[in-house]
Amino acid sequence: MPKAKPQKADEKTAPINWRQQAFFWGGAVIIFALFLFIFSSILLPFIAGMALAYFLDPVADRLQKLGFSRLWATVVILLAFVILLVLALMIIVPVLTNQFADLMKNMPDYISRLQSLVTSFDPAWVEKTLGVSAGQLRDGLSSLLTQATGFITTLFKSLWSSGLAIINIVSLFVVAPVVAFYMLLDWDRMVSTVDSWVPRDHVETVRAIARDIDRSIAGFVRGQGTLCLILGIYYALGLTVVGLNFGLLIGLLAGLISFIPYVGSLTGLVLAIGVAFVQFWPDWMWVAAVAGVFFVGQFIEGNILQPKLVGKSVGVHPVWLMFALLAFGALFGFVGLLVAVPCAAAIAVIMRFAIARYKASPLYRGEEEVPASPARRRRDPTSPDV
């Protein structure tokens, strides 16, 4: 049997150095960012479908363990989701729309009454305690409330108008379920295909990073998403039972933005307490009841929901999360807000991996000493071997 001819030196494949890898991955990140920037106006239904498929993939896996095929598991899950979505649109959305319109219409009156309530205290006590006159307090509070109201009103109007003008809502509710269906059906196959594209020399490293990213994103998106949904339902029901005006709207808003640490609960608390003061004062027991709804919610979140649903494996710092939301929102608009959290989690995992590699490299530890040769040790009188 003839022997294989040895390869010549110039026929060997040149190894890829770190600069080529940096250029390749840097180019991939730039292309991805340009793609988001160019197509941000039409990506919402596709990103929503991908997020929905990612969120529901564990449910499909459980149904498969119960004996369902992947196809029927996907059909059952999406049918249940569509039914719940239609019921929500028929029952909850009209109520929220009416409450939002009433809140915007009554906001000036609420601000005026709250201002009168705060400045109705004894002027001498106010000046002695706060160091300002009642007139200065009234003017400062009026300016602060006007600016805050203008900011909130502008924010809601911009989100509402951009959601209607830039993004086709019909396509969101039609395209997103279709995208979710096909992605949920082929999820495991897509993961295997992407895994086959990974360079074989680094496949274990990439898989480890991907597992960390998946754990971080799953802990935040699935865990925090479920937590926000539970908190939103709790706050909405609690404030509605207390009898607070716009309780359903304020409660759902506070719960759904609870993924921003401290901001969501604090925003809901301030808004609810402000409305409660105007509505219930001087019956302070109902104001305390409104505050109690939020304090109980915070206790449940911190001691029950957060450890069970999110855990400690997320690794996304609150400051980094808020920066990512602002940065991605400014760069890519509403779509940027949707991809900010998973991108922030992925970047955090990659940065931790890069820092660990840097600390293990000679660049961090310094150049290692080259051991002296035996002949040099024999010549060196300070050598321990002499």
Side-chain angles (χ1 to χ4, degrees):
M1 184 176 180
K3 294 183 179 180
K5 295 182 179 179
Q7 280 188 324
K8 296 181 181 179
D10 55 355
E11 293 179 356
K12 292 182 179 179
T13 304
I16 300 177
N17 56 34
W18 66 270
R19 291 184 181 178
Q20 291 174 311
Q21 295 184 10
F23 278 122
F24 174 79
W25 292 111
V29 171
I30 292 174
I31 292 174
F32 177 71
L34 287 175
F35 178 81
L36 286 180
F37 182 77
I38 294 172
F39 297 103
S40 59
S41 60
I42 63 171
L43 286 180
L44 178 61
F46 298 95
I47 292 178
M50 292 174 60
L52 185 60
Y54 181 77
F55 191 86
L56 296 176
D57 179 63
V59 182
D61 292 338
R62 290 190 178 184
L63 289 179
Q64 281 187 284
K65 292 180 180 179
L66 294 176
F68 286 80
S69 66
R70 186 71 180 190
L71 175 61
W72 279 108
T74 304
V75 170
V76 169
I77 291 171
L78 287 182
L79 279 178
F81 175 79
V82 170
I83 291 173
L84 292 176
L85 181 63
V86 170
L87 291 176
L89 291 176
M90 293 175 60
I91 299 173
I92 299 176
V93 172
V95 177
L96 292 178
T97 303
N98 292 333
Q99 288 197 2
F100 178 77
D102 292 341
L103 179 61
M104 292 297 101
K105 182 175 67 175
N106 296 324
M107 185 66 74
D109 180 58
Y110 271 68
I111 293 174
S112 177
R113 292 168 62 182
L114 184 61
Q115 179 182 354
S116 301
L117 180 64
V118 173
T119 57
S120 63
F121 294 100
D122 184 11
W125 180 85
V126 171
E127 186 171 0
K128 180 180 178 181
T129 305
L130 302 179
V132 295
S133 64
Q136 291 175 335
L137 178 62
R138 186 182 300 108
D139 295 339
L141 182 61
S142 176
S143 176
L144 178 62
L145 290 176
T146 302
Q147 292 178 3
T149 305
F151 171 76
I152 294 174
T153 305
T154 303
L155 176 63
F156 276 109
K157 287 183 177 179
S158 64
L159 288 176
W160 181 255
S161 62
S162 64
L164 292 178
I166 300 177
I167 301 167
N168 190 343
I169 298 297
V170 176
S171 70
L172 175 63
F173 292 109
V174 173
V175 177
V178 175
V179 173
F181 174 80
Y182 284 107
M183 295 203 70
L184 189 59
L185 181 63
D186 297 329
W187 189 267
D188 295 333
R189 190 183 311 166
M190 288 188 298
V191 171
S192 300
T193 302
V194 173
D195 181 77
S196 68
W197 296 344
V198 178
R200 297 296 95 181
D201 292 342
H202 308 286
V203 64
E204 293 302 327
T205 302
V206 173
R207 284 174 180 171
I209 296 175
R211 283 192 293 268
D212 290 341
I213 292 176
D214 178 69
R215 189 182 304 114
S216 182
I217 295 177
F220 201 94
V221 174
R222 295 180 184 139
Q224 192 71 34
T226 306
L227 184 147
C228 291
L229 185 60
I230 294 174
L231 284 180
I233 295 173
Y234 163 76
Y235 287 143
L237 292 177
L239 296 178
T240 302
V241 169
V242 170
L244 183 71
N245 292 338
F246 320 112
L248 185 65
L249 177 65
I250 296 173
L252 287 178
L253 175 66
L256 294 180
I257 63 175
S258 292
F259 69 94
I260 308 176
Y262 310 110
V263 174
S265 57
L266 184 61
T267 301
L269 176 63
V270 171
L271 190 58
I273 291 296
V275 174
F277 265 108
V278 175
Q279 180 181 348
F280 297 122
W281 191 261
D283 193 357
W284 60 270
M285 288 293 295
W286 290 108
V287 178
V290 170
V293 170
F294 279 90
F295 293 147
V296 172
Q298 287 300 295
F299 176 82
I300 295 174
E301 176 187 0
N303 295 276
I304 299 175
L305 297 179
Q306 189 82 19
K308 295 290 184 181
L309 298 177
V310 181
K312 300 180 180 180
S313 62
V314 176
V316 181
H317 196 275
V319 176
W320 168 238
L321 175 62
M322 287 185 280
F323 173 79
L325 288 169
L326 292 176
F328 278 83
L331 289 174
F332 308 113
F334 188 72
V335 173
L337 295 176
L338 296 180
V339 301
V341 171
C343 287
I347 293 173
V349 171
I350 294 173
M351 288 301 299
R352 287 196 295 268
F353 171 79
I355 291 173
R357 285 298 180 93
Y358 161 71
K359 287 186 175 181
S361 68
L363 184 63
Y364 174 77
R365 294 182 285 106
E367 292 294 334
E368 296 181 356
E369 294 185 359
V370 179
S373 62
R376 184 174 179 180
R377 285 201 301 268
R378 284 194 297 268
R379 290 194 304 268
D380 186 0
T382 61
S383 175
D385 295 334
V386 176

